[in-house]
């Protein structure tokens, strides 16, 4: 990219000012510094955290991101905010249960995907966090299999999906209450498990703290834990693992 820009300047088809703008590592909007080199460093563009930002700020940020990227993802955005943003950016899609707003260019993929992410959640009350993980992974390019309402209170429900879960490249396991589900899944699979505790539960759940501690203290190997209700973090990390697996499969 650098060489191409310099050649355009040399040919006179690109001004020095335009070249500086294209080479800038971030864009200062006053209230935010949008990181334009995030995709070069990490593989994906900067993700916008919608909570605490005004609709005007979100619109400004996503318009700047879209000008340089083929996908934009906004997390933790309410339906009311999303509807206002969509008036200015009507091609953005909102997933209410996940509280995610996104835009993605149509991409033609060659061949069938070589793997998938299993997003597993214990109960219906955990769906918001599970969907945040699932939609994040899909927007970032992974295939997702959803396996929902398979908590340990009825372990036969989980076991009926055992083969599908075992064939995944990575599992994101979302649970509240006592948070035991990731340990069970971890004992069934040979791939990484990302545990996501939720704030679902009665008083002694302490808004997800008990589930978090259970997952951190799991005796099953191969489990990593993200923060309480952090479906985005679980989904994002799963995509990184899935992409490495896809690259490895492509070499065979």
């Amino acid at each position: 990219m650098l060489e191409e820009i310099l050649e355009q300047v040399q040919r006179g088809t690109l001004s020095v000012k335009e070249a500086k703008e294209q080479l800038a590592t971030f864009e200062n909007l006053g209230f935010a510094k949008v990181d334009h080199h995030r995709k070069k460093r990490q593989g994906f563009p900067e993700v916008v955290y919608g909570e605490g930002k005004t609709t005007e700020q979100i619109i400004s940020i996503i318009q700047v991101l879209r000008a340089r990227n083929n996908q934009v993802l906004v997390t933790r955005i309410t339906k009311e905010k999303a509807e206002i943003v969509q008036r200015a950016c009507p091609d953005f899609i909102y997933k209410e249960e996940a509280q995610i707003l996104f835009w993605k260019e149509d991409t033609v993929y060659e061949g069938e995907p070589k793997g998938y992410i299993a997003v597993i959640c214990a109960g219906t009350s955990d769906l918001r966090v599970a969907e945040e993980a699932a939609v994040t992974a899909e927007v970032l390019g992974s295939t997702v299999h959803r396996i929902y309402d398979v908590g340990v209170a009825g372990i036969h429900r989980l076991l009926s999906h055992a083969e599908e879960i075992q064939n995944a490249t990575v599992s994101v396991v979302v649970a509240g209450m006592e948070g035991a589900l990731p340990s069970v899944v971890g004992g069934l699979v040979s791939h990484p498990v990302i545990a996501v505790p939720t704030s679902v539960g009665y008083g002694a759940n302490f808004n997800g703290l008990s589930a978090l501690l259970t997952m951190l203290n799991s005796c099953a190997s191969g489990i990593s834990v993200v923060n309480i209700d952090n479906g985005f973090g679980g989904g994002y990390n799963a995509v990184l693992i899935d992409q490495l697996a896809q690259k490895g499969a492509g070499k065979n």
Side-chain angles (χ1 to χ4, degrees), residues 26 32-39 42 44-49 53 61 65 69 71-74:
F26 67 88
K33 294 180 176 65
V34 182
D35 185 356
H36 285 312
H37 276 213
R38 186 78 57 93
K39 188 171 183 177
Q42 298 185 323
F44 302 111
E46 181 175 4
V47 174
V48 183
Y49 183 72
K53 293 182 176 68
I61 293 169
L65 283 170
N69 299 285
Q71 61 190 30
V72 180
L73 178 64
V74 185

Side-chain angles (χ1 to χ4, degrees), residues 5 9 14-23:
I5 290 171
V9 172
L14 191 72
S15 70
V16 173
K17 181 181 178 182
E18 289 170 332
K20 286 175 67 177
E21 289 175 355
Q22 290 190 30
L23 291 170

